[in-house]
Amino acid sequence: MKPYKHKNNDGSIVFGIIIIFIGVILLLRKLGFFIPGWVLSWPMILIAVGTFTLIKHEFRSFFGAVTLFIGSYFLLRNEFDFDFGLGQYIWPVGLIILGIYLVTQKKRENRVLDEIRNSWEKNRSNSSTSSFSSSKVEEAKVVDENEGTSKNSGEGFTRTTGTSFADRLNIDAIFSGVNRRMMTKNFQGGKITAAFGGADIDLSQSDFNGVVTIQVDIIFGGVKMVVPPHWDVRTEVTNIAAGLEDKRFFREGGVDTTKVVILKGTILFGGLEIKSF
């Protein structure tokens, strides 16, 4: 398994800046400085979440753009009386966009599953080893073309039930809840963001060899992770008014030092729970 190369725009940096900004604002208010009420209003929270998501995903997150737009609109309308006449259209258009996303996501999932099924049928029909290896290469190409990525990127598809066949975690639970069950045998770590939401991550069916890193950023939210009992999970998470619980049941043989998971990130007014079955 190839080591994961961190991106320069690490989301934890932006997350830390947001936390520092909130702390400075609260401190200045306690010291008697005048701070406008809109600075800590709910539209500003949406703006912060949208900005954080966009930077974390290199400004290619549709969710981040929508969140930033909604927060900016309501801030301008509520606090500065800039009403562009869009309020009556936001929620209907939002529902339409959500519906289109769900439909296209399901069609994309079915298309990839059909390609994989056809490739496996072709593999079983080939008797020679050379033919089998060739068809495996073709299968990988088909999956990569439909997913718009390469296998080395660790990306894949996720069913609407929450079962994921990707090699990497990429969870954004913002004002929502996310359930994910990872089925990969080449787990490569990833990132989990929970802001005013929660995420349940099941890694009990996953496997890997080596060292992987999971970036966990939680603000006013919670994350529950189920891992195999023999994994060596090491936490390097910064807790600020937060909780971190390890409820795993360790087997008699101890942990497997060839399977190391390092948890990094920040938890602010939230919780992270690790357990096993």
Side-chain angles (χ1 to χ4, degrees):
M1 181 180 61
K2 295 182 179 181
Y4 172 63
K5 183 179 180 180
H6 289 281
K7 298 179 180 179
N8 292 330
N9 59 334
D10 191 347
S12 61
I13 298 178
V14 184
F15 192 79
I17 293 175
I18 293 176
I19 294 175
I20 293 174
F21 175 77
I22 294 175
V24 170
I25 294 300
L26 293 176
L27 177 62
L28 292 177
R29 293 187 65 175
K30 290 294 184 180
L31 294 176
F33 289 88
F34 172 73
I35 303 296
W38 58 265
V39 174
L40 296 177
S41 63
W42 68 266
M44 279 298 297
I45 295 177
L46 292 181
I47 292 174
V49 170
T51 303
F52 170 73
T53 305
L54 283 173
I55 295 177
K56 189 173 183 179
H57 293 87
E58 297 181 339
F59 296 92
R60 292 182 295 181
S61 172
F62 176 75
F63 173 82
V66 172
T67 304
L68 178 60
F69 171 76
I70 293 176
S72 301
Y73 171 78
F74 281 104
L75 178 66
L76 293 175
R77 192 195 69 172
N78 297 344
E79 303 296 337
F80 301 99
D81 295 326
F82 290 148
D83 191 354
F84 304 99
L86 300 177
Q88 57 182 333
Y89 304 111
I90 286 183
W91 300 119
V93 172
L95 292 175
I96 293 173
I97 294 175
L98 176 61
I100 294 174
Y101 171 78
L102 294 176
V103 171
T104 54
Q105 181 74 6
K106 184 61 178 179
K107 288 184 176 180
R108 177 172 174 266
E109 172 191 324
N110 291 336
R111 184 175 65 252
V112 175
L113 289 175
D114 290 339
E115 295 290 351
I116 294 175
R117 189 181 301 110
N118 293 335
S119 297
W120 277 107
E121 290 177 355
K122 183 186 296 184
N123 290 341
R124 291 195 301 177
S125 65
N126 294 328
S127 57
S128 64
T129 304
S130 59
S131 298
F132 177 79
S133 300
S134 177
S135 63
K136 287 294 288 181
V137 173
E138 292 299 324
E139 175 195 346
K141 290 181 179 179
V142 169
V143 174
D144 291 346
E145 289 175 359
N146 282 277
E147 287 300 308
T149 184
S150 64
K151 292 182 69 177
N152 291 335
S153 69
E155 296 182 2
F157 66 93
T158 302
R159 293 176 176 172
T160 54
T161 57
T163 302
S164 176
F165 296 89
D167 293 333
R168 291 186 54 79
L169 280 168
N170 188 8
I171 306 298
D172 289 310
I174 303 176
F175 291 98
S176 62
V178 175
N179 293 314
R180 190 75 78 246
R181 186 179 187 185
M182 306 294 292
M183 305 299 293
T184 178
K185 302 303 179 183
N186 184 33
F187 184 57
Q188 299 178 9
K191 54 190 176 183
I192 305 172
T193 302
F196 299 92
D200 290 332
I201 312 300
D202 186 354
L203 298 171
S204 61
Q205 303 300 316
S206 301
D207 196 12
F208 74 101
N209 287 308
V211 180
V212 299
T213 301
I214 302 178
Q215 180 74 29
V216 182
D217 296 315
I218 305 172
I219 176 171
F220 294 101
V223 172
K224 295 181 180 179
M225 297 181 60
V226 179
V227 301
H230 62 284
W231 283 11
D232 185 1
V233 181
R234 306 176 185 179
T235 57
E236 300 178 6
V237 179
T238 301
N239 298 337
I240 305 175
L244 174 60
E245 296 182 274
D246 191 341
K247 298 182 178 180
R248 288 178 294 161
F249 294 97
F250 296 96
R251 63 180 186 177
E252 295 182 358
V255 298
D256 188 346
T257 56
T258 64
K259 304 179 188 296
V260 180
V261 178
I262 300 177
L263 302 179
K264 294 184 177 181
T266 305
I267 307 176
L268 173 64
F269 296 107
L272 172 63
E273 179 180 313
I274 307 169
K275 58 183 180 179
S276 61
F277 295 122

